[in-house]
Each structure stands twice: as structure tokens, then as C-alpha cells.
Amino acid sequence: MPPRLVRKALNTYHHGDLRDALVQAAFQEAERGGPEAINISALAKALGVSQPAPYRHFADREALLEAVTAEAFRKFNVILRDVVDKPSQQSKLSRFARATLSFGLQRNGIYRLMFASRTMACAPKGSELHKAAMETLELLIEALEAPAIGLLRERQALKIWASLHGVVMLAEQGLLTGQVAGVSREELVEDIVQEAKLALSVATKAATEREAR
């Protein structure tokens, strides 16, 4: 008698497929409710696999969060690269800043996973997440369109990032309307950009003059 053919269940996965399915499903949950919405047991149930199955790919919830956050940074970097490279009358830094503001407000659950959770802070150097996040920083430094002199660009990039993050988080919480100063969030971000470019230009000129002496 020939061996009996067994029909494969719809929600079973080849080796490696479940890992990606978990990451994508968790990403969607974070989109809706931020990092706190990600629950491994609920994901396993939604994907139709046993409760222990996810742990063959992720040691714990933090490991899953790290993978999802890395995926979020990669998607974010694609958006930023497209914006920065696109011909425009606006400076690259203006486009970078506006894209960050838009991303942070429209996809705040993912943004909080990336920038308002401990996942990024706990990512070891050289990890998948660390590399993806460093690419974001490199895109910001590139957007400054300034020569590399010491660590001037890196310091200014961190200042810009801190300022943009403050605008995104305060605006998302309804604490930054701009009414008091008669300014929109977009105009405020542009102010940050122009002040940053001016400060970097002054610092670069001073450093160049010191080197020339």
C-alpha cells in the first residue's frame, strides 16, 4: 500500500518562514498599538501555531521586539533614502526632518517602538538592530551636506535628532500645537533645520580657520 498523503495545514510554515511571519505580524500589532501591543502568545494563536513554536526562533519577547524594531528601521531608512535622494528645492536636511515628523505622527506606534522603548538602548553593537539604526544616523549626517571635520557633523546630528524627537512626541501627545507662538509643527521643524545648518556652518568655519593657523 502506498504511503498515505497528509494534507499540510494552512497555517504551518517551512523552516524559517515562521520567523518572518512573526516579525511581520508583530510589526502590524506595533503599528496599531505600539510595543506594548506585541504579545507572543497572541501572535502564535493568530498565526495558527502552537504556543511553544515562536520560541524556536526567538528566545523571548525582547528578542522578537529587537527583530521587529530592526525591520522598522529598515523600512524607515527606505523612506528617508527616497526622500533625501529625490530632486527638490528644499535642502536634504529639510526633507529628512519633514519625513521624520510625518513618520512619527502617522505611524506613532512604530515610532515609539523605535525611539521610545528600551529595545534600541539594549541592542548590542553589531547586531541587526544596531546596524539598521546606524544607517538612519548616517542618512541624517549625509543630509547635513557638510564636510567631515572632527565630529562636528555627528554632534549636530544628535542635536537635530533630539529636537525632532521632542517635536514628534509632544505633538503626538497633544502638548505641542504651536498656537502660543503662532507656528505650525512643520514650521517649527524648519526652524530647527535652519538653526542647525547655521550652527554647523559657523562651527565648521571656525574649525577650518583653526586648522589653517
Side-chain angles (χ1 to χ4, degrees):
M1 178 181 293
R4 181 183 177 187
L5 295 177
V6 179
R7 178 176 294 178
K8 187 176 182 180
L10 292 177
N11 288 326
T12 58
Y13 297 86
H14 292 292
H15 177 69
D17 290 351
L18 179 55
R19 184 186 191 280
D20 184 62
L22 285 164
V23 170
Q24 297 306 321
F27 186 95
Q28 291 175 12
E29 289 301 311
E31 283 264 36
R32 289 189 283 265
E36 55 272 18
I38 298 176
N39 179 284
I40 291 184
S41 296
L43 290 172
K45 184 177 180 179
L47 292 172
V49 298
S50 66
Q51 292 297 312
Y55 295 98
R56 298 179 193 139
H57 302 278
F58 300 103
D60 50 29
R61 181 175 180 274
E62 289 307 312
L64 174 58
L65 284 175
E66 184 175 324
V68 177
T69 308
E71 178 69 3
F73 269 103
R74 285 191 290 266
K75 291 179 184 294
F76 186 42
N77 292 338
V78 169
I79 294 171
L80 292 177
R81 171 56 68 190
D82 181 61
V83 166
V84 169
D85 287 347
K86 187 176 297 182
S88 172
Q89 292 184 340
Q90 291 183 324
S91 70
K92 288 187 176 183
L93 186 57
S94 289
R95 283 175 273 157
F96 181 103
R98 285 175 177 269
T100 300
L101 176 64
S102 177
F103 185 93
L105 295 180
Q106 294 177 14
R107 309 180 73 175
N108 193 257
I110 289 297
Y111 183 88
R112 287 192 290 109
L113 173 65
M114 297 163 67
F115 299 110
S117 73
R118 293 292 300 168
T119 304
M120 181 63 237
C122 297
K125 188 174 182 179
S127 65
E128 179 185 12
L129 173 51
H130 183 264
K131 290 177 182 176
M134 287 304 296
E135 184 180 345
T136 306
L137 179 60
E138 288 163 7
L139 283 166
L140 173 53
I141 292 171
E142 177 186 330
L144 288 169
E145 299 182 278
I149 299 178
L151 295 175
L152 289 179
R153 295 186 307 173
E154 287 76 6
R155 290 185 66 176
Q156 197 61 48
L158 290 178
K159 292 178 184 178
I160 294 167
W161 199 261
S163 298
L164 290 177
H165 181 65
V167 172
V168 170
M169 296 304 292
L170 288 172
E172 193 277 331
Q173 294 168 22
L175 300 175
L176 182 63
T177 63
Q179 291 179 355
V180 173
V183 64
S184 69
R185 292 171 299 202
E186 290 74 18
E187 289 170 334
L188 182 58
V189 164
E190 187 60 28
D191 285 350
I192 292 170
V193 166
Q194 295 306 321
E195 290 168 10
K197 288 174 72 69
L198 177 60
L200 183 57
S201 176
V202 170
T204 298
K205 181 179 180 181
T208 303
E209 290 174 350
R210 284 196 300 270
E211 290 180 355
R213 290 172 190 166

